[in-house]
Amino acid sequence: MREKSFTDKIRHFTPSWFAAVMGTGVIGILIFNLPFGDQGIRTTIASVFLILNIILFLIFLLASIARYALFPQLWMLMIHEPIQSLFLGCFPMALATIISATVSISLVHTRLHSLIMFLWGLWWFDLALSYASCILLPYIMITRHRISWEHHNATWLLPVIPLIVAGSCGAVLTTALIESNPEKAKITVAASSVSLAMGLSLSMMIITTYLFRLFAHGFPAAGLVVSLLVPLGPCGQGGYALLLLGRHFNTLSSRLGIEEALYDKIAMALAAAGALTIWSIGSWLGIIAALGLVEATCTSKIHFRVNFWGMVFPLGVYSLLTMQLGHDLNLQFFRVCGTILSAITGLLWLGISSKTLYLAFDGTIFIAPCLDDKSQIRPWFNASSKSPKDEVGANGTSDMENAQEETAHTEGHGVVTNAQEVK
């Protein structure tokens, strides 16, 4: 394969690259929240990761703007691609990791009111993007994408997880607001709770259908097997947000006119019970995912793609939930398990980032599926339109069947096609 030019790299720059920002950001957050080690050293390392993450975010944002400015037709091609379009949800999640890390580190060094207010406004913008992702991307899936059960995979969670991440980010931001501006803190807690409830409930619905797909059709193709860890994302981030919001409800109880002693027990008990339940669900999903990844690695060749970054953030936020449970419940078991999981996440980040840098130089990692496959567009339904399953071509097969056959060869970008080599 010839080395891609800079223009080709921009042309093949997909939204899935923002998963790298999410993964890098969660590493800094994990280091900052480790239950062991010197706080000053951990804060310094977390600050370095935050700076690196901001640089990556800006570079990827500029690359995305350049891509659609130079090649405006690629936007519609990407939107109609059934997998890559879902990675648009990574943008608000990447921004939320930067906001959360900045708030946490700023609370250690100094509480700059102007900085907190700027981050609060930025969080509302991120929350709006998260709602857009949760509503518009599923709508596009319903009206534009051709979907079948055997092609259902964990990336369906990507449009709705941003609401959970935004809710968690709002809970972190409330920590900085609750003393200086309790009114804004109450608004933030309310908005974060609604966001968390919507995102978490939708995620559990999708996970349920995803489990049915696994039982009926087995693990996804080799290129998408790395998405097995994605369900850990809503579990880890959702449980973490529950614990923080439960604590904030308790702190604000006196201002809400509720008996503090009673509200203390109710809020913290519900939050801890909910977080433990979600942690338990995530444990089962994580074990199944680990077994599936080991089997897939041993039985088939998995080509490295940028979607490998989708493993880092889910495992990272699950580690964060585990450590937070150790802190809130004062249990050494969760502290140790969370630290071990954080170390595994760090090693995973190191391996993926090294491989990414290596392949980025010659451009082989820059592959946009929408440029190599026919876009699978579902016709807009009107009074005279037919269902895609009813449109049968001259060879006796339906358009749906043809589309599924094409997808089977390129699903998850696990195989480099001849068209990709030419490009």
Side-chain angles (χ1 to χ4, degrees):
M1 178 185 293
R2 67 176 180 85
E3 182 176 345
K4 283 187 172 70
S5 65
F6 179 76
T7 303
D8 287 334
K9 293 177 181 179
I10 293 295
R11 186 166 173 261
H12 284 263
F13 193 88
T14 60
S16 56
W17 277 94
F18 284 97
V21 180
M22 296 164 55
T24 303
V26 80
I27 294 297
I29 294 174
L30 286 176
I31 294 174
F32 181 82
N33 287 278
L34 283 175
F36 307 106
D38 181 74
Q39 178 66 47
I41 296 176
R42 289 189 283 111
T43 302
T44 301
I45 298 175
S47 301
V48 172
F49 271 94
L50 174 59
I51 294 172
L52 173 62
N53 210 33
I54 293 174
I55 294 173
L56 287 177
F57 181 81
L58 293 176
I59 291 174
F60 293 170
L61 178 60
L62 291 175
S64 299
I65 294 174
R67 185 194 194 210
Y68 301 115
L70 295 174
F71 310 100
Q73 70 277 11
L74 293 184
W75 174 258
M76 293 306 298
L77 287 176
M78 182 272 297
I79 285 295
H80 290 124
E81 213 285 325
I83 295 177
Q84 276 301 311
S85 59
L86 306 184
F87 280 90
L88 285 172
C90 291
F91 180 83
M93 289 191 282
L95 181 58
T97 60
I98 294 176
I99 298 174
S100 296
T102 305
V103 171
S104 299
I105 294 174
S106 66
L107 291 178
V108 173
H109 293 292
T110 177
R111 298 194 178 203
L112 294 176
H113 180 73
S114 57
L115 175 61
I116 298 301
M117 287 299 99
F118 169 76
L119 293 174
W120 191 62
L122 192 60
W123 174 75
W124 282 106
F125 173 71
D126 182 79
L127 185 63
L129 291 179
S130 300
Y131 274 107
S133 171
C134 181
I135 296 172
L136 296 181
L137 289 180
Y139 180 79
I140 291 173
M141 293 173 65
I142 295 170
T143 60
R144 300 298 192 274
H145 294 171
R146 293 181 175 178
I147 294 171
S148 58
W149 271 114
E150 60 269 25
H151 294 139
H152 182 3
N153 58 80
T155 58
W156 284 19
L157 287 165
L158 293 178
V160 300
I161 296 179
L163 281 181
I164 303 176
V165 178
S168 175
C169 181
V172 173
L173 192 58
T174 302
T175 307
L177 294 171
I178 202 164
E179 295 295 336
S180 60
N181 202 323
E183 287 301 320
K184 285 186 172 61
K186 287 194 292 185
I187 296 173
T188 305
V189 167
S192 299
S193 300
V194 173
S195 173
L196 175 63
M198 183 180 295
L200 197 55
S201 59
L202 289 173
S203 295
M204 290 305 168
M205 295 178 195
I206 295 174
I207 289 175
T208 302
T209 61
Y210 175 62
L211 287 178
F212 172 79
R213 179 253 184 267
L214 292 182
F215 291 141
H217 301 285
F219 289 120
L224 271 175
V225 74
V226 294
S227 67
L228 288 174
L229 286 176
V230 171
L232 285 180
C235 294
Q237 197 76 82
Y240 179 72
L242 273 178
L243 291 176
L244 294 186
L245 290 173
R247 184 193 309 168
H248 295 324
F249 276 127
N250 175 38
T251 305
L252 292 169
S253 60
S254 59
R255 298 180 181 274
L256 294 174
I258 301 175
E259 185 65 27
E260 185 174 356
L262 177 62
Y263 200 73
D264 182 4
K265 296 178 181 179
I266 295 177
M268 298 304 294
L270 290 177
L276 276 172
T277 301
I278 297 175
W279 183 87
S280 302
I281 296 173
S283 298
W284 186 87
L285 292 171
I287 293 172
I288 295 296
L291 294 175
L293 286 171
V294 170
E295 181 179 359
T297 303
C298 296
T299 58
S300 60
K301 184 177 181 180
I302 304 176
H303 294 270
F304 185 85
R305 294 290 180 266
V306 70
N307 62 345
F308 270 57
W309 279 102
M311 296 189 294
V312 180
F313 183 79
L315 184 58
V317 294
Y318 185 74
S319 306
L320 185 63
L321 168 60
T322 306
M323 291 190 294
Q324 191 64 36
L325 283 171
H327 176 271
D328 287 12
L329 302 179
N330 195 24
L331 291 175
Q332 194 71 3
F333 168 78
F334 287 108
R335 293 192 184 100
V336 174
C337 288
T339 303
I340 295 174
L341 288 172
S342 299
I344 295 174
T345 307
L347 293 175
L348 185 63
W349 175 86
L350 186 62
I352 293 177
S353 59
S354 301
K355 186 69 172 180
T356 301
L357 287 173
Y358 176 76
L359 295 179
F361 282 109
D362 59 7
T364 54
I365 198 172
F366 293 95
I367 298 176
C370 59
L371 299 180
D372 302 295
D373 308 322
K374 294 179 180 179
S375 60
Q376 301 174 19
I377 307 174
R378 175 179 294 180
W380 178 256
F381 290 103
N382 53 47
S384 60
S385 64
K386 298 180 180 179
S387 169
K389 294 183 179 180
D390 297 331
E391 297 177 1
V392 180
N395 58 356
T397 60
S398 67
D399 291 341
M400 174 69 81
E401 292 171 346
N402 293 333
Q404 292 173 359
E405 183 178 355
E406 292 171 1
T407 305
H409 292 291
T410 57
E411 187 179 44
H413 335 312
V415 179
V416 180
T417 62
N418 293 332
Q420 290 171 341
E421 295 179 356
V422 172
K423 293 184 182 294

PDB file of all heavy atoms in Angstrom, residues 1 4 303 305 367-369 371-373 406-411 413-423:
ATOM      1  N   MET A   1       0.839  -1.191   0.000  1.00  0.00           N
ATOM      2  CA  MET A   1       0.000   0.000   0.000  1.00  0.00           C
ATOM      3  C   MET A   1       0.878   1.246   0.000  1.00  0.00           C
ATOM      4  O   MET A   1       1.810   1.370   0.789  1.00  0.00           O
ATOM      5  CB  MET A   1      -0.902   0.005   1.245  1.00  0.00           C
ATOM      6  CG  MET A   1      -1.776   1.240   1.339  1.00  0.00           C
ATOM      7  SD  MET A   1      -2.727   1.281   2.881  1.00  0.00           S
ATOM      8  CE  MET A   1      -3.810  -0.114   2.618  1.00  0.00           C
ATOM      9  N   LYS A   4      -0.059   7.347   2.261  1.00  0.00           N
ATOM     10  CA  LYS A   4      -1.079   8.359   2.013  1.00  0.00           C
ATOM     11  C   LYS A   4      -0.482   9.753   2.160  1.00  0.00           C
ATOM     12  O   LYS A   4       0.348  10.009   3.032  1.00  0.00           O
ATOM     13  CB  LYS A   4      -2.246   8.195   2.993  1.00  0.00           C
ATOM     14  CG  LYS A   4      -3.205   7.061   2.659  1.00  0.00           C
ATOM     15  CD  LYS A   4      -4.389   7.111   3.602  1.00  0.00           C
ATOM     16  CE  LYS A   4      -5.472   6.117   3.175  1.00  0.00           C
ATOM     17  NZ  LYS A   4      -5.052   4.737   3.384  1.00  0.00           N
ATOM     18  N   HIS A 303      -7.115  -7.028  12.497  1.00  0.00           N
ATOM     19  CA  HIS A 303      -6.312  -5.917  11.994  1.00  0.00           C
ATOM     20  C   HIS A 303      -6.493  -4.694  12.899  1.00  0.00           C
ATOM     21  O   HIS A 303      -7.610  -4.368  13.307  1.00  0.00           O
ATOM     22  CB  HIS A 303      -6.706  -5.568  10.563  1.00  0.00           C
ATOM     23  CG  HIS A 303      -6.383  -6.646   9.579  1.00  0.00           C
ATOM     24  ND1 HIS A 303      -5.178  -6.722   8.917  1.00  0.00           N
ATOM     25  CD2 HIS A 303      -7.120  -7.705   9.148  1.00  0.00           C
ATOM     26  CE1 HIS A 303      -5.176  -7.765   8.110  1.00  0.00           C
ATOM     27  NE2 HIS A 303      -6.354  -8.376   8.232  1.00  0.00           N
ATOM     28  N   ARG A 305      -7.092  -1.092  13.938  1.00  0.00           N
ATOM     29  CA  ARG A 305      -7.766   0.073  13.382  1.00  0.00           C
ATOM     30  C   ARG A 305      -7.963   1.083  14.499  1.00  0.00           C
ATOM     31  O   ARG A 305      -7.794   0.786  15.685  1.00  0.00           O
ATOM     32  CB  ARG A 305      -9.125  -0.313  12.774  1.00  0.00           C
ATOM     33  CG  ARG A 305      -9.024  -1.221  11.543  1.00  0.00           C
ATOM     34  CD  ARG A 305      -8.452  -0.483  10.343  1.00  0.00           C
ATOM     35  NE  ARG A 305      -8.354  -1.353   9.184  1.00  0.00           N
ATOM     36  CZ  ARG A 305      -7.267  -2.040   8.833  1.00  0.00           C
ATOM     37  NH1 ARG A 305      -6.185  -1.969   9.599  1.00  0.00           N
ATOM     38  NH2 ARG A 305      -7.260  -2.785   7.759  1.00  0.00           N
ATOM     39  N   ILE A 367      -8.429   5.167   7.426  1.00  0.00           N
ATOM     40  CA  ILE A 367      -9.333   4.473   6.509  1.00  0.00           C
ATOM     41  C   ILE A 367     -10.761   4.890   6.832  1.00  0.00           C
ATOM     42  O   ILE A 367     -11.245   4.666   7.938  1.00  0.00           O
ATOM     43  CB  ILE A 367      -9.198   2.944   6.620  1.00  0.00           C
ATOM     44  CG1 ILE A 367      -7.787   2.500   6.241  1.00  0.00           C
ATOM     45  CG2 ILE A 367     -10.238   2.261   5.738  1.00  0.00           C
ATOM     46  CD1 ILE A 367      -7.559   1.010   6.414  1.00  0.00           C
ATOM     47  N   ALA A 368     -11.414   5.514   5.882  1.00  0.00           N
ATOM     48  CA  ALA A 368     -12.802   5.930   6.050  1.00  0.00           C
ATOM     49  C   ALA A 368     -13.710   4.928   5.347  1.00  0.00           C
ATOM     50  O   ALA A 368     -13.681   4.830   4.110  1.00  0.00           O
ATOM     51  CB  ALA A 368     -13.018   7.328   5.488  1.00  0.00           C
ATOM     52  N   PRO A 369     -14.503   4.165   6.082  1.00  0.00           N
ATOM     53  CA  PRO A 369     -15.369   3.158   5.455  1.00  0.00           C
ATOM     54  C   PRO A 369     -16.331   3.743   4.435  1.00  0.00           C
ATOM     55  O   PRO A 369     -16.678   3.080   3.454  1.00  0.00           O
ATOM     56  CB  PRO A 369     -16.119   2.555   6.644  1.00  0.00           C
ATOM     57  CG  PRO A 369     -15.270   2.852   7.825  1.00  0.00           C
ATOM     58  CD  PRO A 369     -14.614   4.159   7.538  1.00  0.00           C
ATOM     59  N   LEU A 371     -15.800   5.812   2.243  1.00  0.00           N
ATOM     60  CA  LEU A 371     -15.152   6.001   0.949  1.00  0.00           C
ATOM     61  C   LEU A 371     -14.873   4.686   0.252  1.00  0.00           C
ATOM     62  O   LEU A 371     -14.516   4.675  -0.931  1.00  0.00           O
ATOM     63  CB  LEU A 371     -13.827   6.759   1.127  1.00  0.00           C
ATOM     64  CG  LEU A 371     -13.937   8.158   1.717  1.00  0.00           C
ATOM     65  CD1 LEU A 371     -12.558   8.789   1.833  1.00  0.00           C
ATOM     66  CD2 LEU A 371     -14.840   9.022   0.865  1.00  0.00           C
ATOM     67  N   ASP A 372     -15.037   3.581   0.975  1.00  0.00           N
ATOM     68  CA  ASP A 372     -14.698   2.284   0.413  1.00  0.00           C
ATOM     69  C   ASP A 372     -15.897   1.386   0.200  1.00  0.00           C
ATOM     70  O   ASP A 372     -15.806   0.395  -0.500  1.00  0.00           O
ATOM     71  CB  ASP A 372     -13.706   1.567   1.340  1.00  0.00           C
ATOM     72  CG  ASP A 372     -12.452   2.377   1.545  1.00  0.00           C
ATOM     73  OD1 ASP A 372     -11.728   2.566   0.562  1.00  0.00           O
ATOM     74  OD2 ASP A 372     -12.209   2.837   2.666  1.00  0.00           O
ATOM     75  N   ASP A 373     -17.001   1.714   0.832  1.00  0.00           N
ATOM     76  CA  ASP A 373     -18.202   0.889   0.698  1.00  0.00           C
ATOM     77  C   ASP A 373     -19.339   1.728   0.153  1.00  0.00           C
ATOM     78  O   ASP A 373     -19.371   2.933   0.337  1.00  0.00           O
ATOM     79  CB  ASP A 373     -18.630   0.319   2.049  1.00  0.00           C
ATOM     80  CG  ASP A 373     -17.473  -0.378   2.740  1.00  0.00           C
ATOM     81  OD1 ASP A 373     -16.688  -1.031   2.044  1.00  0.00           O
ATOM     82  OD2 ASP A 373     -17.382  -0.247   3.960  1.00  0.00           O
ATOM     83  N   GLU A 406     -22.644  -6.966   1.478  1.00  0.00           N
ATOM     84  CA  GLU A 406     -21.514  -6.049   1.359  1.00  0.00           C
ATOM     85  C   GLU A 406     -20.952  -5.704   2.730  1.00  0.00           C
ATOM     86  O   GLU A 406     -19.748  -5.635   2.941  1.00  0.00           O
ATOM     87  CB  GLU A 406     -21.953  -4.775   0.639  1.00  0.00           C
ATOM     88  CG  GLU A 406     -22.290  -4.998  -0.823  1.00  0.00           C
ATOM     89  CD  GLU A 406     -22.941  -3.762  -1.439  1.00  0.00           C
ATOM     90  OE1 GLU A 406     -23.081  -2.772  -0.704  1.00  0.00           O
ATOM     91  OE2 GLU A 406     -23.291  -3.791  -2.620  1.00  0.00           O
ATOM     92  N   THR A 407     -21.841  -5.496   3.706  1.00  0.00           N
ATOM     93  CA  THR A 407     -21.407  -5.120   5.040  1.00  0.00           C
ATOM     94  C   THR A 407     -20.613  -6.236   5.694  1.00  0.00           C
ATOM     95  O   THR A 407     -19.671  -5.997   6.428  1.00  0.00           O
ATOM     96  CB  THR A 407     -22.620  -4.773   5.912  1.00  0.00           C
ATOM     97  OG1 THR A 407     -23.380  -3.769   5.261  1.00  0.00           O
ATOM     98  CG2 THR A 407     -22.181  -4.286   7.286  1.00  0.00           C
ATOM     99  N   ALA A 408     -20.985  -7.477   5.415  1.00  0.00           N
ATOM    100  CA  ALA A 408     -20.308  -8.607   6.044  1.00  0.00           C
ATOM    101  C   ALA A 408     -18.826  -8.642   5.706  1.00  0.00           C
ATOM    102  O   ALA A 408     -18.009  -9.135   6.475  1.00  0.00           O
ATOM    103  CB  ALA A 408     -20.961  -9.921   5.607  1.00  0.00           C
ATOM    104  N   HIS A 409     -18.451  -8.091   4.536  1.00  0.00           N
ATOM    105  CA  HIS A 409     -17.055  -8.127   4.127  1.00  0.00           C
ATOM    106  C   HIS A 409     -16.247  -7.001   4.742  1.00  0.00           C
ATOM    107  O   HIS A 409     -15.029  -7.069   4.785  1.00  0.00           O
ATOM    108  CB  HIS A 409     -16.960  -8.041   2.599  1.00  0.00           C
ATOM    109  CG  HIS A 409     -17.486  -9.256   1.893  1.00  0.00           C
ATOM    110  ND1 HIS A 409     -16.849 -10.479   1.944  1.00  0.00           N
ATOM    111  CD2 HIS A 409     -18.610  -9.438   1.147  1.00  0.00           C
ATOM    112  CE1 HIS A 409     -17.541 -11.368   1.230  1.00  0.00           C
ATOM    113  NE2 HIS A 409     -18.618 -10.755   0.748  1.00  0.00           N
ATOM    114  N   THR A 410     -16.916  -5.942   5.180  1.00  0.00           N
ATOM    115  CA  THR A 410     -16.172  -4.768   5.651  1.00  0.00           C
ATOM    116  C   THR A 410     -16.533  -4.386   7.063  1.00  0.00           C
ATOM    117  O   THR A 410     -16.054  -3.383   7.560  1.00  0.00           O
ATOM    118  CB  THR A 410     -16.469  -3.562   4.748  1.00  0.00           C
ATOM    119  OG1 THR A 410     -17.874  -3.330   4.724  1.00  0.00           O
ATOM    120  CG2 THR A 410     -15.980  -3.799   3.340  1.00  0.00           C
ATOM    121  N   GLU A 411     -17.380  -5.153   7.736  1.00  0.00           N
ATOM    122  CA  GLU A 411     -17.881  -4.770   9.049  1.00  0.00           C
ATOM    123  C   GLU A 411     -16.734  -4.577  10.022  1.00  0.00           C
ATOM    124  O   GLU A 411     -15.889  -5.420  10.203  1.00  0.00           O
ATOM    125  CB  GLU A 411     -18.801  -5.859   9.572  1.00  0.00           C
ATOM    126  CG  GLU A 411     -19.499  -5.458  10.866  1.00  0.00           C
ATOM    127  CD  GLU A 411     -20.409  -6.555  11.344  1.00  0.00           C
ATOM    128  OE1 GLU A 411     -19.985  -7.722  11.321  1.00  0.00           O
ATOM    129  OE2 GLU A 411     -21.536  -6.243  11.745  1.00  0.00           O
ATOM    130  N   HIS A 413     -14.264  -2.742   9.727  1.00  0.00           N
ATOM    131  CA  HIS A 413     -13.016  -2.382   9.072  1.00  0.00           C
ATOM    132  C   HIS A 413     -11.909  -3.370   9.426  1.00  0.00           C
ATOM    133  O   HIS A 413     -10.742  -3.022   9.524  1.00  0.00           O
ATOM    134  CB  HIS A 413     -12.572  -0.962   9.433  1.00  0.00           C
ATOM    135  CG  HIS A 413     -13.698  -0.079   9.836  1.00  0.00           C
ATOM    136  ND1 HIS A 413     -14.852   0.015   9.094  1.00  0.00           N
ATOM    137  CD2 HIS A 413     -13.878   0.713  10.921  1.00  0.00           C
ATOM    138  CE1 HIS A 413     -15.691   0.844   9.683  1.00  0.00           C
ATOM    139  NE2 HIS A 413     -15.122   1.269  10.797  1.00  0.00           N
ATOM    140  N   GLY A 414     -12.275  -4.594   9.709  1.00  0.00           N
ATOM    141  CA  GLY A 414     -11.283  -5.572  10.101  1.00  0.00           C
ATOM    142  C   GLY A 414     -10.510  -6.109   8.924  1.00  0.00           C
ATOM    143  O   GLY A 414      -9.466  -6.728   9.086  1.00  0.00           O
ATOM    144  N   VAL A 415     -10.978  -5.935   7.677  1.00  0.00           N
ATOM    145  CA  VAL A 415     -10.293  -6.436   6.500  1.00  0.00           C
ATOM    146  C   VAL A 415     -10.027  -5.283   5.563  1.00  0.00           C
ATOM    147  O   VAL A 415     -10.907  -4.483   5.286  1.00  0.00           O
ATOM    148  CB  VAL A 415     -11.160  -7.509   5.783  1.00  0.00           C
ATOM    149  CG1 VAL A 415     -10.451  -8.009   4.555  1.00  0.00           C
ATOM    150  CG2 VAL A 415     -11.475  -8.658   6.732  1.00  0.00           C
ATOM    151  N   VAL A 416      -8.809  -5.189   5.062  1.00  0.00           N
ATOM    152  CA  VAL A 416      -8.459  -4.132   4.128  1.00  0.00           C
ATOM    153  C   VAL A 416      -8.852  -4.572   2.723  1.00  0.00           C
ATOM    154  O   VAL A 416      -8.350  -5.564   2.221  1.00  0.00           O
ATOM    155  CB  VAL A 416      -6.945  -3.839   4.181  1.00  0.00           C
ATOM    156  CG1 VAL A 416      -6.603  -2.738   3.202  1.00  0.00           C
ATOM    157  CG2 VAL A 416      -6.527  -3.468   5.581  1.00  0.00           C
ATOM    158  N   THR A 417      -9.778  -3.861   2.124  1.00  0.00           N
ATOM    159  CA  THR A 417     -10.241  -4.217   0.792  1.00  0.00           C
ATOM    160  C   THR A 417      -9.315  -3.655  -0.279  1.00  0.00           C
ATOM    161  O   THR A 417      -8.474  -2.806  -0.025  1.00  0.00           O
ATOM    162  CB  THR A 417     -11.656  -3.667   0.569  1.00  0.00           C
ATOM    163  OG1 THR A 417     -11.601  -2.246   0.649  1.00  0.00           O
ATOM    164  CG2 THR A 417     -12.619  -4.161   1.645  1.00  0.00           C
ATOM    165  N   ASN A 418      -9.509  -4.136  -1.499  1.00  0.00           N
ATOM    166  CA  ASN A 418      -8.713  -3.619  -2.609  1.00  0.00           C
ATOM    167  C   ASN A 418      -8.958  -2.144  -2.816  1.00  0.00           C
ATOM    168  O   ASN A 418      -8.057  -1.389  -3.156  1.00  0.00           O
ATOM    169  CB  ASN A 418      -9.044  -4.396  -3.879  1.00  0.00           C
ATOM    170  CG  ASN A 418      -8.598  -5.857  -3.803  1.00  0.00           C
ATOM    171  OD1 ASN A 418      -7.634  -6.152  -3.084  1.00  0.00           O
ATOM    172  ND2 ASN A 418      -9.281  -6.740  -4.504  1.00  0.00           N
ATOM    173  N   ALA A 419     -10.211  -1.702  -2.603  1.00  0.00           N
ATOM    174  CA  ALA A 419     -10.521  -0.281  -2.764  1.00  0.00           C
ATOM    175  C   ALA A 419      -9.768   0.554  -1.755  1.00  0.00           C
ATOM    176  O   ALA A 419      -9.312   1.643  -2.055  1.00  0.00           O
ATOM    177  CB  ALA A 419     -12.023  -0.065  -2.600  1.00  0.00           C
ATOM    178  N   GLN A 420      -9.594   0.010  -0.532  1.00  0.00           N
ATOM    179  CA  GLN A 420      -8.860   0.747   0.480  1.00  0.00           C
ATOM    180  C   GLN A 420      -7.397   0.880   0.091  1.00  0.00           C
ATOM    181  O   GLN A 420      -6.762   1.887   0.327  1.00  0.00           O
ATOM    182  CB  GLN A 420      -8.989   0.038   1.823  1.00  0.00           C
ATOM    183  CG  GLN A 420     -10.397   0.133   2.398  1.00  0.00           C
ATOM    184  CD  GLN A 420     -10.564  -0.760   3.601  1.00  0.00           C
ATOM    185  OE1 GLN A 420      -9.787  -1.692   3.798  1.00  0.00           O
ATOM    186  NE2 GLN A 420     -11.572  -0.500   4.393  1.00  0.00           N
ATOM    187  N   GLU A 421      -6.818  -0.204  -0.523  1.00  0.00           N
ATOM    188  CA  GLU A 421      -5.423  -0.141  -0.916  1.00  0.00           C
ATOM    189  C   GLU A 421      -5.197   0.904  -2.011  1.00  0.00           C
ATOM    190  O   GLU A 421      -4.188   1.596  -2.023  1.00  0.00           O
ATOM    191  CB  GLU A 421      -4.972  -1.518  -1.400  1.00  0.00           C
ATOM    192  CG  GLU A 421      -4.992  -2.576  -0.262  1.00  0.00           C
ATOM    193  CD  GLU A 421      -4.573  -3.931  -0.749  1.00  0.00           C
ATOM    194  OE1 GLU A 421      -4.340  -4.043  -1.978  1.00  0.00           O
ATOM    195  OE2 GLU A 421      -4.452  -4.846   0.060  1.00  0.00           O
ATOM    196  N   VAL A 422      -6.143   1.004  -2.925  1.00  0.00           N
ATOM    197  CA  VAL A 422      -6.008   1.987  -3.989  1.00  0.00           C
ATOM    198  C   VAL A 422      -6.034   3.388  -3.429  1.00  0.00           C
ATOM    199  O   VAL A 422      -5.262   4.262  -3.778  1.00  0.00           O
ATOM    200  CB  VAL A 422      -7.133   1.809  -5.026  1.00  0.00           C
ATOM    201  CG1 VAL A 422      -7.122   2.945  -6.028  1.00  0.00           C
ATOM    202  CG2 VAL A 422      -6.957   0.475  -5.741  1.00  0.00           C
ATOM    203  N   LYS A 423      -6.975   3.609  -2.457  1.00  0.00           N
ATOM    204  CA  LYS A 423      -7.100   4.935  -1.886  1.00  0.00           C
ATOM    205  C   LYS A 423      -5.924   5.248  -0.980  1.00  0.00           C
ATOM    206  O   LYS A 423      -5.608   6.368  -0.739  1.00  0.00           O
ATOM    207  CB  LYS A 423      -8.421   5.064  -1.124  1.00  0.00           C
ATOM    208  CG  LYS A 423      -9.633   4.995  -2.041  1.00  0.00           C
ATOM    209  CD  LYS A 423     -10.918   5.226  -1.253  1.00  0.00           C
ATOM    210  CE  LYS A 423     -12.127   5.106  -2.166  1.00  0.00           C
ATOM    211  NZ  LYS A 423     -12.148   6.164  -3.151  1.00  0.00           N
TER     212      LYS A 423
END
